Amino acid sequence: MSKPASSTIEAQHEHLLKALPFPDQQDFTDARRGLIAAPARVVVPDAGWDSGRYSFLAGEAPVTVNPSLWRQSQLTAIHGLFEVVPGIYQVRGYDLANVTFIEGDRGVIVVDPLISTQTAAAALALYREHRGDRPVTGMIYTHSHVDHFGGARGILPGDQAGGVPVLAPAGFIEHTVSENVYAGPAMARRASFMYGAALPTGPSGQVGAGLGQTNSTGTVTLIPPTVSIRHTGERATVDGVRMVFQMAPGSEAPAEMHLYLPDHRAFCVAENATHTLHNVLTLRGAEVRDPRAWAGYISESIELFGADLEVVFASHHWPTWGRQRAVEFLRRQRDLYAYLHDQTVRMINAGLTGPEIAETFPLPPALEQAWHTRGYYGSVSHNVKAVYQRYLGWYDGNPARLWPHPPVEAGRRYVEFMGGADAVVAKARASYAAGDFRWVAEVLNHVVFAVPDHAGARELLADAYEQLGYGSENGTWRCVYLSGAHELRHGSMGTPATAASPDLVAQLTPEQLFESFAIRVNGPRCWNDVVTVDVEVTDLDRQYRLTLRNGVLTHSRAPQPEPAQVTVRLTSAELPALAAATDVEGDTGALRLLFAALDAPDTDFAIVTP
């Protein structure tokens, strides 16, 4: 059961209300500008989407929600069909991201079709209801994250994709697969905390994720790109719409691009300049991004298009209109990522560690007071640590942290040193009463890992997480803290949604598929096994040798001196079901031995308990 906000959190919020420019209503004006239609309630039940869940976001912020995050959640809850400029329309508030519709000579080009087929189809239906039943004549993925391609078959269902150009940045498929399949199970489990999947919505629960309200949970699909954009300045015309592209790899996504529409004087900056500080390293886990390059791409955007553009729009949030305002928006976003990078590296070279830098890292006043640079999705704290990680890795140079005990063993030793679990909990209650929730969380985490069934420790740790959530300006931090409290009180929420859909698995090359098998091998279980399997992919006219030896699965296309124990013949479409292949010659027991060595991912692993 949720607890009330403490006096410490109330005082923090009172201070914030005085420190930030809450009378500034420009964002609300911009977020409502161009509204064509706004259904009172958007319900897509088979995708877990119901805008009515956020109807509580009205009036002043309750004491259980950071007032700055409350403001951002009010903005991201504004939903409907909007005109950006004549010929360009967005549906916002139908998923975590926006979907954009660019009208051409014959139909409409769809940019970034959301996460789920169901929400994408609902957004397209809203667009067609008010702009006519235009056929889809093109589709564009700005980058390789699931909220920008997963709803593709909701836009082009069945065989409708045939002949429709699908444009994406070079490397799109490779990075889409590597992020959502290789470490996908762990990312999805952590994402359940990041987006508060099991939390009730409301003033004591999930209020939004900063980048949008939350992610839909419907069917994830992928229509493979037919056109790869490779160079900045590359041009294309789709259905009469002229486009100029700017490459931005290694920024917010490893494969990302921007899009300028000269006939509309409109610039789509993908997800590299939104109305929040973004993630250098997302809490669900990913490759560490490069904020130096990120800032450089925004500088290049200003140089390439700043003299001509009249509106900047993105894959999240609302546009910025007017050349002067739009360019200033881009400049501040550029300065934000450059400052994070440069100042962190400066302090690294002065000998500070990631946590030390993060604890004393003020932003310049012009950035501190700009709403769109606030940390609603990324945060200064975890982004600074990500920059440190990018350059120096996990080890901070202190020998004491070179070989620490794992959490359970460290917890047992800490608790013993501090006088036992009961004594630690008693001391933690005093710290809780003093409002030192960070310390309560740190010490009681040791108790829970040392004595998992200590009811007092679990209860007080859940209370501390809850207060930390109430105080968080960052939407994902709030969800993480409140999800931690939820699991301590009610047990695991599991993994409600995953991006590793059949469409994504179908895009795996044979090499990627074999690598996905290799990372599932339980090495100790098969140290002494030696298995050789030849896989003939008949439609590609390729043969691969899979070898399991010393707990390692390798693959090769080189000619082999010795025959394999078993040969399997199948098509590339059948390859994901290799274990069930029927065209098998040789020792079928070898094939069974190979797949017996593979572990299924655990989508319910513990996070806040051992």
Side-chain angles (χ1 to χ4, degrees):
M1 183 175 178
S2 297
K3 307 290 178 66
S6 69
S7 59
T8 301
I9 296 301
E10 289 191 47
Q12 172 192 302
H13 292 173
E14 284 294 329
H15 171 75
L16 202 62
L17 284 167
K18 296 172 184 176
L20 293 177
F22 280 92
D24 177 7
Q25 294 293 298
Q26 183 64 55
D27 283 339
F28 287 93
T29 300
D30 287 344
R32 296 188 179 103
R33 177 171 168 171
L35 178 64
I36 294 172
R41 185 171 186 176
V42 181
V43 180
V44 189
D46 47 354
W49 193 264
D50 181 357
S51 65
R53 294 167 57 201
Y54 296 97
S55 59
F56 66 88
L57 286 167
E60 299 299 317
V63 293
T64 52
V65 184
N66 184 294
S68 180
L69 176 61
W70 181 262
R71 175 188 182 277
Q72 181 77 352
S73 295
Q74 289 179 320
L75 285 161
T76 56
I78 296 171
H79 62 272
L81 173 66
F82 299 83
E83 181 183 78
V84 178
V85 294
I88 302 178
Y89 302 86
Q90 286 189 317
V91 171
R92 304 199 287 269
Y94 272 55
D95 210 322
L96 183 69
N98 305 331
V99 56
T100 301
F101 300 96
I102 305 170
E103 294 178 353
D105 293 341
R106 297 180 297 105
V108 64
I109 302 158
V110 179
V111 182
D112 288 351
L114 308 181
I115 294 175
S116 304
T117 59
Q118 295 88 345
T119 55
L124 179 60
L126 179 67
Y127 165 80
R128 284 175 166 165
E129 178 184 350
H130 297 277
R131 293 298 302 166
D133 192 14
R134 301 166 186 260
V136 175
T137 51
M139 190 151 60
I140 298 172
Y141 306 139
T142 61
H143 58 291
S144 54
H145 290 155
V146 70
D147 50 328
H148 304 276
F149 66 78
R153 295 191 188 276
I155 301 296
L156 290 168
D159 59 359
Q160 292 184 27
V164 175
V166 180
L167 290 71
F172 174 87
I173 287 292
E174 173 192 350
H175 292 295
T176 293
V177 167
S178 64
E179 177 161 314
N180 291 293
V181 176
Y182 290 171
M187 287 186 183
R189 172 73 172 113
R190 286 170 50 155
S192 67
F193 269 53
M194 180 174 171
Y195 293 106
L199 299 176
T201 51
S204 297
Q206 206 264 12
V207 301
L211 196 64
Q213 292 310 89
T214 188
N215 53 334
S216 65
T217 57
T219 305
V220 173
T221 59
L222 174 65
I223 297 173
T226 61
V227 178
S228 288
I229 304 300
R230 300 184 179 279
H231 307 291
T232 292
E234 191 169 338
R235 296 172 182 267
T237 300
V238 178
D239 192 14
V241 177
R242 296 191 301 144
M243 308 173 188
V244 184
F245 297 95
Q246 179 197 4
M247 305 306 295
S251 53
E252 187 271 338
E256 188 148 357
M257 66 184 184
H258 304 158
L259 167 66
Y260 186 62
L261 302 160
D263 296 329
H264 301 81
R265 301 176 73 181
F267 180 49
C268 174
V269 71
E271 203 165 324
N272 282 329
T274 59
H275 288 268
T276 179
L277 168 61
H278 214 294
N279 288 303
V280 175
L281 177 58
T282 176
L283 300 183
R284 64 180 166 80
E287 294 181 9
V288 180
R289 298 156 187 175
D290 186 349
R292 180 192 59 81
W294 194 329
Y297 294 131
I298 301 177
S299 281
E300 184 181 55
S301 299
I302 297 169
E303 293 166 0
L304 290 172
F305 311 118
D308 189 52
L309 63 82
E310 285 297 332
V311 62
V312 170
F313 66 97
S315 303
H316 295 270
H317 302 144
W318 50 95
T320 301
W321 286 270
R323 191 191 70 81
Q324 187 173 347
R325 285 185 62 221
V327 170
E328 181 59 24
F329 169 75
L330 291 174
R331 284 174 178 156
R332 290 197 186 190
Q333 285 282 305
R334 183 268 316 277
D335 293 348
L336 176 63
Y337 297 105
Y339 191 87
L340 278 169
H341 173 271
D342 296 349
Q343 295 305 305
T344 300
V345 174
R346 177 181 66 82
M347 288 188 270
I348 284 173
N349 287 326
L352 278 72
T353 65
E356 290 169 336
I357 299 168
E359 202 66 17
T360 56
F361 195 97
L363 288 174
L367 300 182
E368 183 72 22
Q369 289 290 305
W371 286 114
H372 64 86
T373 61
R374 302 293 301 180
Y376 302 116
Y377 191 59
S379 74
V380 169
S381 177
H382 74 253
N383 280 342
V384 161
K385 295 167 191 170
V387 175
Y388 186 96
Q389 178 179 329
R390 180 177 180 86
Y391 282 97
L392 296 182
W394 62 269
Y395 175 50
D396 67 3
N398 185 327
R401 287 184 278 275
L402 180 60
W403 190 32
H405 285 288
V408 169
E409 293 304 316
R412 290 173 179 165
R413 287 162 172 79
Y414 272 108
V415 170
E416 180 184 354
F417 264 57
M418 291 187 285
D422 292 341
V424 177
V425 171
K427 293 173 183 176
R429 292 192 191 283
S431 296
Y432 185 93
D436 195 354
F437 307 119
R438 290 170 67 184
W439 179 243
V440 174
E442 184 170 338
V443 297
L444 289 188
N445 182 64
H446 289 307
V447 177
V448 168
F449 273 75
V451 191
D453 58 352
H454 194 291
R458 292 173 71 106
E459 179 184 357
L460 189 57
L461 180 56
D463 291 348
Y465 283 156
E466 188 170 60
Q467 295 300 318
L468 289 167
Y470 290 167
S472 295
E473 182 180 32
N474 184 285
T476 59
W477 280 40
R478 177 184 175 91
C479 288
V480 166
Y481 282 129
L482 296 185
S483 294
H486 181 280
E487 290 212 352
L488 285 168
R489 290 168 176 164
H490 307 293
S492 174
M493 69 182 77
T495 302
T498 176
S501 69
D503 269 358
L504 264 67
V505 173
Q507 296 307 310
L508 289 166
T509 64
E511 291 83 359
Q512 288 173 321
L513 185 70
F514 300 146
E515 288 164 6
S516 74
F517 291 160
I519 60 178
R520 291 173 51 197
V521 170
N522 185 318
R525 193 163 65 219
C526 58
W527 279 338
N528 299 318
D529 296 333
V530 178
V531 178
T532 55
V533 179
D534 278 348
V535 179
E536 296 181 8
V537 186
T538 54
D539 58 320
L540 300 179
D541 194 25
R542 296 181 192 172
Q543 179 166 309
Y544 296 86
R545 170 64 59 88
L546 305 186
T547 304
L548 179 67
R549 179 180 284 111
N550 294 321
V552 175
L553 180 64
T554 58
H555 65 272
S556 173
R557 289 187 61 192
Q560 302 294 320
E562 301 292 337
Q565 294 164 290
V566 63
T567 298
V568 182
R569 299 177 184 88
L570 70 183
T571 66
S572 54
E574 297 167 333
L575 198 54
L578 177 61
T582 56
D583 189 351
V584 180
E585 180 182 333
D587 181 5
T588 57
L591 192 62
R592 289 195 297 272
L593 190 61
L594 170 62
F595 281 92
L598 308 187
D599 278 347
D602 180 2
T603 58
D604 196 26
F605 58 80
I607 292 179
V608 293
T609 56

